[in-house]
Amino acid sequence: MKKRKRRIIFGIVIFTVLMLLVCFNFDSLSGLIKQNSKTNKPAVTVEGVKYDELQIHFLELGNKYTGDSTFIKAGDIDILIDAGSRKSSSDSIKEYVDDYCTDGKLEYVIATHAHQDHIAGFVGNSSASAKNHKGETVEKTGLFYYYDIGTLIDFSLTSSTSQLYEDYLAAREYAVNKGTVHYTAKECFNEEKSAKRIFDLGNGIELEILYNYYYFNTSDDENNYSVCTMINYNNHHFMLTGDLELQGEEKMAEYYNGSEGKKLPHVDLFKAGHHGSKTSSNDCLLSKITPDICCVCCCAGGSEYTSNYNNVFPTQEFINRIAKYTDQVYVTSYYNEKELKFKPLNGNIIVSCNGKEIALAATNNTTKLKDTAWFNEIVYIDKNKNICSGKGKEDFFTVESKDVTPVPRRVWTE
């Protein structure tokens, strides 16, 4: 009788454990299914793994400034989208990319728009000691001088008159004279001059140039000229929109309205528009793509563009919108207010795919933004909601500052 009772109790314990395994979240690496809290379906992400078939790398740029540079490895094909944030970032980008691009050739390069934090690394600095990947002396340290570039796709329109833009044009001409094929995003989307809207990268992987109204029409915001792309691999999709703003996102959502086969798919990955600003990654677009993972390229908390507590990257408005779709939000860098320099938050972020599963790795950690110490710490703001005395300033308020109020850095709302 006692044995029977023990067997019954043992059975109840086993049943309870099995039910707990089903109901709770476990890391995929343990061999257990990890549940998505929003859909109650198996999550797409395996943490700490890199698949070789397709890798998308969001890079830290070697300084405290926010900018974009995304390296994509699709089999033997090497792709670089943007090269911010400063001319000196070319050195950081080369050091990272050279570990993957071993033949010195980038088959595809995309420059999304003509802002410094996206194109400066293509130009680089003038240096008598500048070398290309072959060790030959070149004019500058920029990536257009260092690598062989197969196909270059850049913005169709710009209102930029900066010296950096002039330097970009000179660097682009240098690459073209060495054999680079140059197209604008408009030419690609319209398939003009032998350009393609969809480039076949082999093994079922595609590079697609998405529609943007501002390839064809002028805007009062340079960000809206951004080249927008989608990497497709079987039924998996990875979307990057540069710094596209609300107006551009609305036009994109209007175009991909489902008619005539024009529809945006659910995406496994969305690179946050405009570094997680309050003016990008809007519901009109997010509601169509319902992303599983969102990566933010920025130096979180820095006052480079604004000292307003709510509007430093990534903004609270961005967080409020993306939280409706996923909590898998990751950020490259943050600004350390005590040491007055950038540090990795997640570091270089790598999202990869083997055609079936999605994996996420990072050089620092894979902690979700909402769970980081940076996100949850208390900061101090003045009556105007500034975190320091002005844009670009480094005198961040502390508990010892006068007339300041303690507030949580950010709040996660679902």
Side-chain angles (χ1 to χ4, degrees):
M1 189 69 174
K2 291 182 179 180
K3 289 183 179 180
R4 183 181 177 188
K5 286 183 178 180
R6 283 198 295 268
R7 284 198 297 269
I8 292 172
I9 293 170
F10 182 75
I12 291 172
V13 170
I14 293 298
F15 177 80
T16 302
V17 170
L18 289 173
M19 291 303 294
L20 288 173
L21 291 178
V22 171
C23 295
F24 286 91
N25 291 342
F26 285 84
D27 195 307
S28 299
L29 292 180
S30 68
L32 301 172
I33 295 177
K34 186 176 180 180
Q35 298 293 323
N36 183 308
S37 60
K38 294 186 177 297
T39 64
N40 203 34
K41 295 178 181 178
V44 296
T45 312
V46 178
E47 294 181 1
V49 172
K50 286 189 287 184
Y51 296 122
D52 290 335
E53 292 86 342
L54 174 65
Q55 296 182 2
I56 302 174
H57 302 245
F58 300 100
L59 306 187
E60 290 193 288
L61 300 171
N63 55 47
K64 64 182 181 180
Y65 303 108
T66 283
D68 270 12
S69 188
T70 304
F71 172 69
I72 301 171
K73 186 78 173 176
D76 293 329
I77 303 295
D78 297 302
I79 304 167
L80 188 68
I81 302 178
D82 284 334
S85 57
R86 294 295 187 271
K87 291 180 177 180
S88 61
S89 294
S90 60
D91 294 333
S92 297
I93 296 169
K94 283 185 287 189
E95 182 179 2
Y96 188 94
V97 170
D98 277 352
D99 285 340
Y100 298 87
C101 178
T102 56
D103 62 357
K105 182 175 182 178
L106 298 172
E107 277 76 15
Y108 296 93
V109 168
I110 297 173
T112 60
H113 63 292
H115 276 158
Q116 172 181 238
D117 61 317
H118 291 254
I119 62 170
F122 290 133
V123 176
N125 291 304
S126 298
S127 173
S129 60
K131 305 287 184 182
N132 64 16
H133 73 278
K134 298 175 183 176
E136 301 166 340
T137 300
V138 291
E139 180 182 347
K140 293 185 177 182
T141 60
L143 305 180
F144 282 169
Y145 298 91
Y146 181 77
Y147 291 107
D148 292 333
I149 311 295
T151 298
L152 168 64
I153 302 166
D154 62 8
F155 38 92
S156 306
L157 297 170
T158 180
S159 56
S160 179
T161 58
S162 68
Q163 182 58 53
L164 178 64
Y165 174 59
E166 295 300 319
D167 293 341
Y168 170 82
L169 293 179
R172 186 179 74 185
E173 183 179 7
Y174 174 88
V176 169
N177 288 338
K178 290 197 67 178
T180 296
V181 177
H182 169 236
Y183 301 122
T184 66
K186 175 184 176 181
E187 290 169 342
C188 288
F189 191 81
N190 285 342
E191 298 190 324
E192 302 169 356
K193 301 180 181 178
S194 301
K196 298 177 182 178
R197 187 182 299 185
I198 298 178
F199 294 86
D200 184 357
L201 306 181
N203 299 316
I205 305 173
E206 299 173 337
L207 166 63
E208 178 179 359
I209 306 302
L210 297 174
Y211 172 84
N212 181 358
Y213 175 84
Y214 295 104
Y215 296 158
F216 316 97
N217 300 276
T218 58
S219 172
D220 58 2
D221 192 328
E222 187 76 24
N223 289 335
N224 277 327
Y225 294 132
S226 293
V227 183
C228 300
T229 56
M230 186 87 78
I231 303 295
N232 305 310
Y233 186 14
N234 294 342
N235 293 319
H236 296 285
H237 306 279
F238 311 85
M239 188 177 188
L240 303 92
T241 60
D243 281 0
L244 193 68
E245 301 283 15
L246 173 60
Q247 306 97 316
E249 291 180 350
E250 288 177 331
K251 292 291 187 181
M252 178 180 282
E254 181 182 328
Y255 178 84
Y256 291 108
N257 60 10
S259 66
E260 300 177 7
K262 299 172 184 174
K263 184 179 179 181
L264 288 170
H266 162 78
V267 303
D268 299 88
L269 165 72
F270 175 60
K271 187 189 77 66
H274 195 191
H275 319 292
S277 74
K278 68 176 183 177
T279 52
S280 294
S281 305
N282 291 282
D283 286 324
C284 61
L285 181 60
L286 293 178
S287 63
K288 288 185 176 293
I289 62 174
T290 60
D292 289 321
I293 303 169
C294 184
C295 292
V296 188
C297 299
C298 72
C299 192
S303 62
E304 178 185 0
Y305 296 112
T306 180
S307 58
N308 183 281
Y309 148 74
N310 284 317
N311 296 338
V312 297
F313 299 145
T315 65
Q316 185 64 52
E317 288 188 43
F318 157 74
I319 290 165
N320 293 343
R321 292 194 291 264
I322 195 66
K324 299 174 188 176
Y325 301 95
T326 182
D327 66 353
Q328 293 187 85
V329 180
Y330 304 90
V331 175
T332 50
S333 307
Y334 78 101
Y335 190 75
N336 187 292
E337 297 167 357
K338 295 179 180 179
E339 299 183 31
L340 300 182
K341 64 182 181 180
F342 90 97
K343 286 196 167 185
L345 198 51
N346 294 117
N348 300 297
I349 306 167
I350 306 102
V351 176
S352 60
C353 181
N354 62 3
K356 297 179 181 179
E357 290 184 301
I358 305 298
L360 185 137
T363 54
N364 192 43
N365 60 62
T366 56
T367 304
K368 296 174 183 177
L369 175 63
K370 71 182 183 67
D371 296 327
T372 62
W374 178 88
F375 187 94
N376 291 290
E377 70 181 343
I378 297 297
V379 296
Y380 297 86
I381 60 173
D382 66 12
K383 63 181 180 179
N384 296 316
K385 297 186 177 180
N386 293 316
I387 57 172
C388 57
S389 64
K391 173 180 155 183
K393 297 292 182 66
E394 296 184 328
D395 56 341
F396 291 90
F397 300 134
T398 69
V399 65
E400 298 176 352
S401 302
K402 293 182 179 179
D403 302 318
V404 294
T405 303
V407 294
R409 168 85 69 181
R410 290 286 181 260
V411 177
W412 189 264
T413 55
E414 297 188 22

